[in-house]
Amino acid sequence: MTGYADDLALAHLLADAADAVSTARFRALDLRVESKPDLTPVSDADTAVEREIRALLATHRPDDGLLGEEYGEQPAAGPDGRRWVVDPIDGTKNFVRGVPVWATLIALLEHDRPVLGLVSAPALGRRWWGAVGVGAFAGAGPAEATPIRVSGVTALADASVCYSSLTGWEQAGRLDAMLQLMRDTWRSRAYGDFYGYMLLAEGALEVMVEPELSLWDIAALVPIVTEAGGTFTDLAGRPAPAGADSGDISAIASNGALHDDILHRLGRPAER
């Protein structure tokens, strides 16, 4: 493993530290939860995890930039265009309700291109990671790494499609197209958040779609899916993540074979 070996080792170190913080607060009786201005929840675990990651990056990569969901942007001190993007707990609503499907997302971007991603879901006992030219892997940690690959399903009627919720598709004017896609596939389930993308990378399903995301929701997922052989674009067919740092990023992730069909179905708003 070359190229991003040191960065991947650091990402695992960051994930180990994050897992120690988050698991200690999961299902804690004194967990503190507040609402952010956008009415999404944030717990004391979210902020504590991000502070821990920021402190470690300040020590190990002081010249790199950093964008975190809870504490915002820290510009790079160096000129090489490297920036870490962190979602301390993806799936906070699950976390605060005691549902074990949540994860810390860690990405490295070079000139705004995601080149490394790690997803750590300690309550599930599983971690996924990948980097450009390295491949994609899953396991409890680096010592138990197993290469992962998207499925070879080529017919939509045989495909399993995943999404987070239907309300976003309704707001985007694409609900009818999404419902028709669900009717035309073998199975549809709303696993939500990071998990659908990781199941896609492992070959357990074929499509994961979301109409509106932030950069920290998606940056770590892109290298894992693409290094596993999948395709990852926005609804306009541009390589993801396309858009600003928050609010107007969309995602169509697939095993590749079905991508053009899904893009054609969902990539156009409904006529009015």
Side-chain angles (χ1 to χ4, degrees), residues 34-56:
E34 300 175 353
S35 291
K36 293 191 284 189
D38 63 0
L39 302 182
T40 60
V42 57
S43 73
D44 61 65
D46 293 80
T47 53
V49 168
E50 186 166 324
R51 288 196 301 270
E52 184 71 16
I53 291 176
R54 284 178 176 271
L56 287 169

Side-chain angles (χ1 to χ4, degrees), residues 27-264:
R27 294 175 176 166
L29 296 179
D30 62 343
L31 183 72
R32 297 187 305 277
V33 183
E34 300 175 353
S35 291
K36 293 191 284 189
D38 63 0
L39 302 182
T40 60
V42 57
S43 73
D44 61 65
D46 293 80
T47 53
V49 168
E50 186 166 324
R51 288 196 301 270
E52 184 71 16
I53 291 176
R54 284 178 176 271
L56 287 169
L57 284 173
T59 299
H60 294 278
R61 294 290 190 276
D63 292 336
D64 290 353
L66 171 60
L67 173 66
E69 179 178 8
E70 307 307 336
Y71 293 108
E73 183 83 44
Q74 175 182 306
D80 57 0
R82 287 168 52 98
R83 177 168 65 153
W84 296 84
V85 176
V86 174
D87 187 342
I89 296 181
D90 184 56
T92 298
K93 292 178 182 178
N94 283 348
F95 185 91
V96 302
R97 290 296 302 270
V99 178
V101 184
W102 49 270
T104 295
L105 312 186
I106 300 167
L108 175 62
L109 277 62
E110 291 183 344
H111 303 289
D112 294 327
R113 177 196 178 203
V115 295
L116 176 153
L118 184 147
V119 173
S120 186
L124 299 178
R126 196 149 178 85
R127 193 175 287 185
W128 301 261
W129 62 95
V132 172
V134 173
F137 304 86
E144 298 84 24
T146 300
I148 56 176
R149 189 76 183 170
V150 297
S151 81
V153 172
T154 59
L156 193 62
D158 298 326
S160 181
V161 172
C162 187
Y163 58 98
S164 284
S165 70
L166 293 178
T167 54
W169 294 101
E170 183 175 27
Q171 293 165 1
R174 293 174 165 90
L175 180 59
D176 288 345
M178 184 65 197
L179 292 174
Q180 190 59 49
L181 174 64
M182 294 166 67
R183 296 184 191 105
D184 291 343
T185 54
W186 171 66
R187 196 181 195 208
S188 60
R189 288 291 184 271
Y191 299 116
D193 300 314
F194 72 94
Y195 198 39
Y197 298 94
M198 297 302 95
L199 292 173
L200 165 65
E202 291 186 334
L205 55 85
E206 284 67 53
V207 179
M208 175 68 187
V209 292
E210 291 186 275
E212 186 175 7
L213 297 157
S214 297
L215 183 58
W216 46 76
D217 296 317
I218 194 175
L221 312 177
V222 174
I224 300 172
V225 170
T226 55
E227 285 296 307
T231 301
F232 212 132
T233 73
D234 69 1
L235 287 169
R238 299 173 296 182
D245 281 352
S246 64
D248 62 352
I249 297 173
S250 57
I252 296 179
S254 78
N255 67 347
L258 301 173
H259 204 85
D260 288 346
D261 191 2
I262 303 300
L263 186 60
H264 176 74

